[in-house]
Amino acid sequence: MIDQVPGAAAKPDDFEFSRYHIDLAAASVRSERVRCQDLDDVLGGIARGFKGLEQHPVRDAYDPQAVLLMTLGILSGTQFMTGLRTYFLAYSPLKRSRSGLPSAMWSAGSGKFGTKLRYLGIDEMVMTGRSAKPVLLHIQADPDDPAAAPQFRFEDAEFLVGRLVNDKIQTLHQRYSPNAHYAVIGPAGENYASARFAAIALSTENQLKSGDPKPRFCGRGGMGGIMGSKNLLAIVADIKDTRAASADNFTELNKEVARGPGSARFRDDATDGLGGTWANFVALNDQHALPERNFAPTGTEASVPLYRQHVQETGNYVIKDESCYRCGIKCHKNVYDIGEDGKAGTFRAKLDFEPLNLLASNLGIFDVDQACTLVALVDEMGLDSISCGTTLSYAMEFNERHKADGQAQVEGPFYGDFESTHKAITDIGEGRLELLGQGVDRMATELGEMTYAMHCKGLELPAYLPQTNPGYPWALAGGHMSMRTFLLLLFERETGMDYWVDAITNPDKGLIPLRDDIIGICKFATLNHDQMASALTALTGLEIDAGTLRDLIMRTFLRGYRLEKLQGMTPDDYRLPSESHREYPEIDLPHFNTEEFFAELHQKVIDTFDRLLEEHDLGTQPAPALA
Amino acid sequence: MQIKVPEELARYCGGREVWQLEAATSAAAIAQLVDRFPDLKQRLLGSGGRLMAHLIVFHNGAVLAVPERSQRALAATDELEIMFLASGG
C-alpha cells in the first residue's frame, strides 16, 4: 500500500510509494521510497507507469537497457472487489509507428500475483538489463521481520526452460511455499525474437489448487517477450496472506460490484446462464457483425454451433462460472469435458469471447472441441490469443487469395483446417515460424498486402469489426481494452460525425477504460465515476470526485498520445486497414465508416487531441527521443 | 408498471431512463415505449419486431428467458428493465 505521511492533511505529495530497480545483468536490486508529485503517482497503474516510460525511450524494444515496468494501482491488492490488477508497461516489440520505433504499451492481468506484491510492500518494479543465464526472481518477506523490506534473490531458472505455462507454474508451486504466486512466460516469451506477441501469465488460486491451466494473462503488446529478452523466466512473490487494505465504504461498494446492475451482464446468477463475454456471439451474430474469416462476416449461421447454449446442448461439456480471487462476479466460463458421473471432468479451456472468436470462427473453425484445444494451446504457449488469432486469420486469407498463383504457404494455415492451425500455433510459440510470429503488421509488410491486415499501429485488432468501429486507431493499448467504442454502433446505431468524434475523445465514453487501468480494478466491476471516487476518497483521504477522475483519464490518455508522438507517430499512423472501409452487405448494421467519413473523422479527432495536448500541463517533461 | 432502458438509450426517450406505463404484458410495454419514442425502435427491435439479441430483460429483478420476453404478464407495480447483454474488455 502506498503510504501517507503520518499526521499530514491528505494531498498527493504527502504520499510515498516503493520502487525497486532490478538490474538483471548485474543481479542487483536497489530500492527507493518515492514522494508522490501528483494524484497520478498516488493512484498508480498506467498513470504513473507512463510517467516512468517517458523517461526511458528506446529504439529497440529488446534492447537490454529497455525498461520493463511493473506497477500496481491504488486498489490492487486491497479488499476492493476486483482489485487484483498487475500492470506491465514497456516499449512494445509489436506496437510501432510507421517510422519503425517501438511504441509505449501496457498490459493488465488479474490473478493473485499483484495481491502478493502488495503484501510484500512493492508498488513498482523497474526491470532492466539481461541476465546471462535463464533466471527467476524470488521475492519473499524477511522471515524474521515480515514488516521489513522484502528480500530479492536471483535464482537459476534452467529447470524452467521450454516448459509450457501451466507446467512452469505448477513446477514452481511444488518448489516454493504454498503462499507464493507467480508471473511466468511460456515458450513464446523465451522465443521472443521470433514471437512478438508473447504474454505474461499470472497464477490464480484456482490454478494452484486444481492443477488446471487457469492463469490470467497480461496478453497484449508482447510484454512476455520483453521479460524473455531479459532472460527472466519467472517472478515468485512469496508471502503469507495478510490483511489487505480497506475503507469503510468498501463493503457496500463490493456488494454493488458483486450484485449490482453494472456487472449483471457478466454474471450467470443474474442472467440465467447467459453471463460473460461469450454472450457476444449471439449478440453480434444476430446482426451478422461477428468476425468470421478474417473479419469478413459470412452472413450465414456457421458460427451458431459455438453459442454457449448449443455447446451445452451437445451434452459433452460442463460449463462452470468461476471467479478470480475474492470476486463475486464469477465471469470465467470454464469448459470441462463431462465426466462419467455427469460432473465436470477434464478442464478444457476458459472460453471468453475474444479467444473463442479469433481462434475459431474468425479462422473458419466452428467445432467447439477444436476451439477448446486451440484456445488452450495458445494459453499454454504463452501467446496473446488476440494477436495470435488475428495473425492466423491474415495468413489464412493470404493463402486463400493466393491458392491458385503459387504464393500460398504450402503448410498453411488454411481456413477451417484444425491441423494446420494447431501446427502454426505450436510453431509460433516454439519460435519456428517467424513470418507469423512477428504479427500482422510486419507479416503483411513482408508479403506486400496490407489492405486486409487487421491491425492499428502494429497491434492486432480484437474480435469486433473495424467496419463498425472507427475508434480503433486511437486506442493506446489494444482496440477494445483502451478504447470503448467497439459496441457503440450495435447499441446506439449512430453514424453522425459529431457523435463519433465525441465518442472517441470523451472520458466518459471511448476513453473510460483507462480509469480502471490506473486504479487497479477490473473493467467488469462497472461502477460509475461517483462510486469509484467515493472508494478512492475513503481509502486515501484525498478529495476525489467524478471530475477529478475525468481529468485523470484525459491526462493519462494525453500522456500516452504524447508518448506515441515521441516515438515517431504522425497522423498517418492513425489508420484502419483499408478494406474495413468498404461495404459488407452481409453485415446488418449501418455502413457509415467509409474512406470519406473516416478521413473527416481522422482530421477532427487529431485536431481535438492535439488541442487538448496543448492545453494540458502534463508536468515533468519527457526525455527527448533517442537519435 | 415501470420500465427502464439502458442509460445510453435515455437520450432517445426524452432524456429519461425510467418511465411509468400502463401495460399488461412486457411486449405491450415495449411497444408503448417505442410508439412514444420512435427513435428507440431501431435500437430495440429487430426483424419481425422481436427484441434484439444483444438486449436482456429483467422482470422484477429476474431475467426473462428469450421465449418469455414478450409474453410475461405484468402487474401494476411490476418493474421491467432492459439492459445490454453484450460487452467486452
Side-chain angles (χ1 to χ4, degrees):
Chain A
M1 174 61 190
I2 291 174
D3 297 322
Q4 185 182 355
V5 177
K11 54 185 189 300
D13 61 4
D14 292 327
F15 290 77
E16 292 180 343
F17 66 93
S18 64
R19 175 182 286 156
Y20 290 84
H21 299 265
I22 318 289
D23 184 337
L24 275 302
S28 66
V29 177
R30 175 174 62 84
S31 68
E32 61 176 330
R33 298 290 299 173
V34 182
R35 182 63 68 101
C36 294
Q37 297 177 324
D38 50 28
L39 184 66
D40 312 38
D41 283 348
V42 178
L43 300 188
I46 64 166
R48 198 171 68 225
F50 275 175
K51 293 175 72 177
L53 274 191
E54 67 185 10
Q55 300 306 321
H56 301 281
V58 296
R59 296 188 63 82
D60 174 6
Y62 292 145
D63 186 316
Q65 287 315 306
V67 163
L68 175 60
L69 189 59
M70 188 290 306
T71 66
L72 300 178
I74 186 84
L75 295 175
S76 301
T78 68
Q79 291 188 43
F80 189 91
M81 189 171 285
T82 81
L84 300 167
R85 297 301 236 187
T86 304
Y87 306 101
F88 286 92
L89 299 96
Y91 289 92
S92 168
L94 205 58
K95 182 186 174 192
R96 64 173 177 174
S97 64
R98 291 160 75 98
S99 73
L101 287 173
S103 193
M105 181 70 197
W106 81 88
S107 193
S110 294
K112 203 174 173 185
F113 177 73
T115 300
K116 291 290 186 177
L117 289 181
R118 181 66 88 203
Y119 292 160
L120 284 161
I122 297 171
D123 299 313
E124 190 168 303
M125 291 197 291
V126 184
M127 291 168 272
T128 54
R130 173 179 168 79
S131 171
K133 293 182 177 176
V135 69
L136 68 83
L137 185 60
H138 183 197
I139 313 170
Q140 53 185 156
D142 184 335
D144 299 323
D145 181 6
Q151 300 175 337
F152 290 74
R153 285 219 309 267
F154 297 85
E155 299 177 8
D156 179 26
E158 195 66 47
F159 67 102
L160 292 175
V161 172
R163 292 180 188 264
L164 299 175
V165 164
N166 190 48
D167 189 20
K168 276 195 176 85
I169 288 174
Q170 301 300 345
T171 300
L172 292 165
H173 183 49
Q174 295 298 316
R175 181 173 287 226
Y176 292 98
S177 88
N179 299 313
H181 270 268
Y182 310 96
V184 308
I185 57 173
E190 296 176 41
N191 297 300
Y192 61 91
S194 49
R196 288 180 175 269
F197 40 84
I200 297 173
L202 307 178
S203 61
T204 65
E205 290 276 274
N206 189 331
Q207 179 181 24
L208 298 186
K209 284 179 182 161
S210 68
D212 292 335
K214 295 172 177 170
R216 308 295 286 132
F217 288 93
C218 299
R220 305 245 53 198
M223 298 297 109
I226 304 287
M227 192 162 150
S229 75
K230 302 191 176 307
N231 229 349
L232 178 62
L233 271 52
I235 306 172
V236 181
D238 191 353
I239 187 171
K240 278 185 184 174
D241 284 354
T242 62
R243 184 164 178 76
S246 190
D248 55 11
N249 61 358
F250 277 15
T251 302
E252 180 190 347
L253 289 168
N254 285 347
K255 282 182 191 165
E256 184 70 13
V257 171
R259 293 284 170 265
S263 66
R265 68 187 71 169
F266 303 109
R267 301 191 332 250
D268 274 7
D269 62 348
T271 59
D272 199 21
L274 291 174
T277 60
W278 197 344
N280 289 1
F281 257 81
V282 179
L284 291 170
N285 205 33
D286 184 59
Q287 304 296 307
H288 293 127
L290 183 76
E292 293 172 322
R293 296 173 69 100
N294 198 40
F295 299 84
T298 60
T300 70
E301 301 298 294
S303 291
V304 170
L306 295 174
Y307 290 7
R308 177 176 173 180
Q309 174 194 348
H310 298 142
V311 172
Q312 282 180 308
E313 285 170 358
T314 66
N316 296 329
Y317 307 97
V318 172
I319 302 170
K320 296 174 73 174
D321 59 328
E322 297 179 338
S323 71
C324 288
Y325 176 61
R326 292 199 305 211
C327 180
I329 300 175
K330 298 208 289 189
C331 71
H332 303 191
K333 308 308 167 197
N334 287 333
V335 178
Y336 299 79
D337 285 333
I338 195 162
E340 289 182 2
D341 57 0
K343 295 180 179 174
T346 304
F347 174 72
R348 296 296 306 279
K350 172 174 175 284
L351 292 187
D352 292 312
F353 170 63
E354 282 85 6
L356 180 59
N357 174 257
L358 295 174
L359 293 166
S361 44
N362 202 39
L363 305 181
I365 289 172
F366 305 104
D367 178 290
V368 73
D369 191 78
Q370 293 179 347
C372 283
T373 300
L374 297 176
V375 170
L377 177 64
V378 167
D379 284 353
E380 283 287 65
M381 284 289 162
L383 290 161
D384 174 32
S385 53
I386 292 174
S387 284
C388 188
T390 299
T391 298
L392 288 166
S393 68
Y394 173 84
M396 291 174 180
E397 182 64 22
F398 180 89
N399 286 339
E400 181 82 2
R401 294 187 187 200
H402 292 283
K403 61 186 175 187
D405 65 12
Q407 291 186 59
Q409 306 292 308
V410 175
E411 292 190 339
F414 305 109
Y415 283 131
D417 181 1
F418 171 77
E419 294 301 332
S420 66
T421 307
H422 191 282
K423 182 176 186 313
I425 294 168
T426 305
D427 287 347
I428 293 169
E430 294 181 348
R432 294 189 299 269
L433 193 52
E434 187 173 359
L435 180 65
L436 274 71
Q438 61 188 325
V440 158
D441 180 16
R442 289 167 173 82
M443 180 183 183
T445 302
E446 190 170 330
L447 294 173
E449 291 190 16
M450 300 299 296
T451 60
Y452 55 94
M454 296 300 178
H455 76 95
C456 288
K457 301 180 289 195
L459 284 177
E460 288 73 17
L461 298 186
Y464 306 91
L465 298 177
Q467 297 93 318
T468 65
N469 180 19
Y472 269 145
W474 289 277
L476 290 175
H480 74 309
M481 300 300 287
S482 54
M483 178 57 71
R484 189 167 287 277
T485 52
F486 51 91
L487 286 169
L488 289 182
L489 188 66
L490 178 70
F491 290 170
E492 302 182 29
R493 307 211 170 214
E494 290 282 358
T495 58
M497 184 60 61
D498 292 345
Y499 169 89
W500 277 98
V501 173
D502 176 68
I504 293 165
T505 59
N506 189 330
D508 284 340
K509 289 193 112 171
L511 302 181
I512 199 169
L514 301 188
R515 182 196 72 185
D516 298 342
D517 278 350
I518 296 167
I519 60 180
I521 65 168
C522 172
K523 294 171 181 67
F524 293 179
T526 326
L527 297 188
N528 63 38
H529 286 329
D530 289 326
Q531 291 167 315
M532 287 318 308
S534 72
L536 296 169
T537 295
L539 184 65
T540 65
L542 295 168
E543 288 184 17
I544 297 172
D545 59 20
T548 316
L549 293 177
R550 290 189 182 96
D551 289 345
L552 178 69
I553 289 169
M554 184 55 75
R555 205 161 55 244
T556 302
F557 174 82
L558 292 173
R559 189 168 275 119
Y561 183 60
R562 183 172 73 176
L563 266 166
E564 291 186 338
K565 286 171 173 276
L566 285 165
Q567 292 293 107
M569 285 204 190
T570 69
D572 232 14
D573 283 283
Y574 299 89
R575 302 288 179 192
L576 284 166
S578 62
E579 289 193 21
S580 57
H581 294 303
R582 73 173 174 83
E583 185 167 12
Y584 289 73
E586 298 83 2
I587 302 171
D588 292 334
L589 289 171
H591 171 54
F592 75 106
N593 187 14
T594 61
E595 287 188 11
E596 294 75 21
F597 177 91
F598 186 79
E600 184 179 345
L601 177 81
H602 178 268
Q603 188 64 52
K604 290 186 171 179
V605 170
I606 295 275
D607 287 349
T608 302
F609 283 141
D610 284 351
R611 175 179 53 77
L612 289 166
L613 191 54
E614 281 188 17
E615 291 172 357
H616 277 71
D617 176 8
L618 298 181
T620 309
Q621 284 299 303
L626 298 179
Chain B
M1 56 79 60
Q2 174 180 291
I3 187 167
K4 186 177 181 195
V5 299
E7 180 185 356
E8 294 88 338
L9 299 187
R11 70 175 181 279
Y12 304 111
C13 46
R16 280 169 51 185
E17 296 169 54
V18 179
W19 289 88
Q20 303 294 328
L21 302 172
E22 289 184 12
T25 66
S26 48
I30 293 168
Q32 272 190 43
L33 201 63
V34 166
D35 282 347
R36 189 163 176 181
F37 301 108
D39 285 348
L40 271 182
K41 187 174 181 181
Q42 64 164 322
R43 295 171 173 93
L44 295 182
L45 304 178
S47 58
R50 65 179 176 81
L51 206 63
M52 284 191 283
H54 66 274
L55 298 166
I56 189 166
V57 183
F58 292 86
H59 174 233
N60 294 334
V63 68
L64 289 181
V66 172
E68 291 181 287
R69 283 175 167 185
S70 57
Q71 301 160 5
R72 177 58 62 97
L74 301 176
T77 55
D78 281 1
E79 294 180 2
L80 214 56
E81 180 171 6
I82 302 171
M83 291 176 58
F84 293 130
L85 177 60
S87 192

